[in-house]
Amino acid sequence: MDMDKAILSLALDAHAPMDGIQRVLNRIYGTSPSIGYISTLLNRAGAFAEQITQTIPLHGISQGANDEIFDAGNLQSKRKKLAEYRAKIPAM
């Protein structure tokens, strides 16, 4: 279902909170799934991802590289840039 894909994308790609997901879907589809529906969908997707993750052998990995998760030092700068960007977007 397209709405389920939108919910997963908003949660995983955009890091949107559940009430934010509801607002976006209301604007796009004219309907807001319940928090329970969104929560259940995210839990099911997480369980499915966990099943897949458990099949990936990791025993041979001895080193890893840091990524954006470890870039918290620039969080204030990123928040400022995001606020500036949002200020440029015309109100709907």
Side-chain angles (χ1 to χ4, degrees), residues 4-72:
D4 288 354
K5 290 178 184 178
I7 290 170
L8 292 172
S9 182
L10 286 165
L12 299 173
D13 299 325
H15 306 284
M18 286 191 246
D19 61 328
I21 292 171
Q22 283 182 311
R23 286 191 302 272
V24 168
L25 294 177
N26 190 34
R27 287 185 183 141
I28 294 172
Y29 295 107
T31 185
S32 298
S34 69
I35 293 291
Y37 181 86
I38 295 170
S39 178
T40 299
L41 179 66
L42 295 177
N43 286 332
R44 282 188 7 233
F48 182 69
E50 180 64 25
Q51 288 176 336
I52 293 171
T53 300
Q54 292 302 321
T55 67
I56 300 170
L58 302 176
H59 61 277
I61 298 174
S62 61
Q63 294 182 358
N66 293 342
D67 61 11
E68 67 274 1
I69 294 173
F70 297 96
D71 194 22

Side-chain angles (χ1 to χ4, degrees), residues 73-92:
N74 293 323
L75 187 57
Q76 292 300 332
S77 173
K78 289 176 183 177
R79 285 183 177 158
K80 182 180 176 186
K81 288 179 185 177
L82 180 59
E84 291 169 358
Y85 174 74
R86 285 182 175 161
K88 295 177 185 177
I89 298 172
M92 295 180 102

